[in-house]
Amino acid sequence: MRVPSMEHIPSFLQGLGLTLGGIVVGCAIMTGISARTVQELQYEIQDLQASNRVLADQVAAFEKGKNRRNVVDRTAVRWDAEQKDLGKATFGELESLIAADLLKVVGKQVQPDMYDLYRGLVDGKVYYNVNGTDYRIRVTVLSVVGSEFVVYVRAESFVPDRSN
């Protein structure tokens, strides 16, 4: 078998060279495009992983809070709207005394059948010698908002019955 002379077919060599050149250039372009695409995908994966970690932390915090939502974390003393003004110092002193008594509730689970016990912590209790006067505390409203135990109170001057 005879190999034909390439000198007689110059257009074939030109076509072959152009095809090989096209393949090389095309491979270079595709490599560049695929490398850029892969890099963008890696950045997106990193962003999604970071977002996933943040969401996992939020879910963990929610689960922790959900499991503790029936536990009193803090207490608050609020004054009844009809409370007459006793003075800022008296209100502050009474509020700190009442808050100290309510600390017994912190860390305990909230149970509806215990509201009478919760009310009994300060309802009817007399605080003696608060800025020179004795005060009896009346609880008007008890509520649990989230994990905060809120008590609305009214203070009345207390005069002991000395008829005995």
Side-chain angles (χ1 to χ4, degrees):
M1 181 159 145
R2 236 175 62 155
V3 176
S5 170
M6 293 294 174
E7 296 171 353
H8 298 321
I9 323 172
S11 61
F12 174 73
L13 287 177
Q14 288 174 353
L16 183 63
L18 188 60
T19 303
L20 289 177
I23 290 172
V24 170
V25 171
C27 286
I29 291 173
M30 284 303 294
T31 302
I33 290 172
S34 65
R36 176 138 176 101
T37 304
V38 168
Q39 186 179 26
E40 287 176 3
L41 287 175
Q42 286 176 341
Y43 289 151
E44 189 172 332
I45 288 170
Q46 289 173 352
D47 291 342
L48 290 173
Q49 287 174 340
S51 175
N52 191 17
R53 280 191 296 273
V54 168
L55 291 174
D57 292 343
Q58 287 176 349
V59 166
F62 174 73
E63 288 294 326
K64 183 179 175 183
K66 182 182 85 169
N67 293 338
R68 293 190 44 87
R69 73 174 172 206
N70 292 334
V71 176
V72 175
D73 285 344
R74 59 191 180 280
T75 61
V77 177
R78 306 256 163 61
W79 294 100
D80 191 49
E82 298 174 5
Q83 176 67 51
K84 57 186 172 190
D85 190 21
L86 299 175
K88 193 172 189 177
T90 303
F91 277 143
E93 183 71 23
L94 283 171
E95 195 170 311
S96 65
L97 291 170
I98 295 168
D101 286 338
L102 291 177
L103 283 178
K104 297 172 187 169
V105 179
V106 174
K108 304 284 194 259
Q109 226 167 3
V110 178
Q111 299 171 356
D113 55 339
M114 300 290 281
Y115 276 103
D116 290 333
L117 179 68
Y118 298 153
R119 180 180 290 276
L121 288 173
V122 292
D123 191 36
K125 187 168 184 178
V126 178
Y127 293 99
Y128 295 100
N129 198 18
V130 177
N131 292 336
T133 308
D134 301 334
Y135 293 99
R136 178 179 305 212
I137 302 300
R138 296 290 180 205
V139 174
T140 56
V141 176
L142 292 173
S143 69
V144 177
V145 179
S147 60
E148 182 178 27
F149 183 66
V150 182
V151 180
Y152 287 87
V153 295
R154 182 181 313 150
E156 305 166 346
S157 292
F158 175 73
V159 179
D161 185 22
R162 298 183 187 210
S163 62
N164 300 15

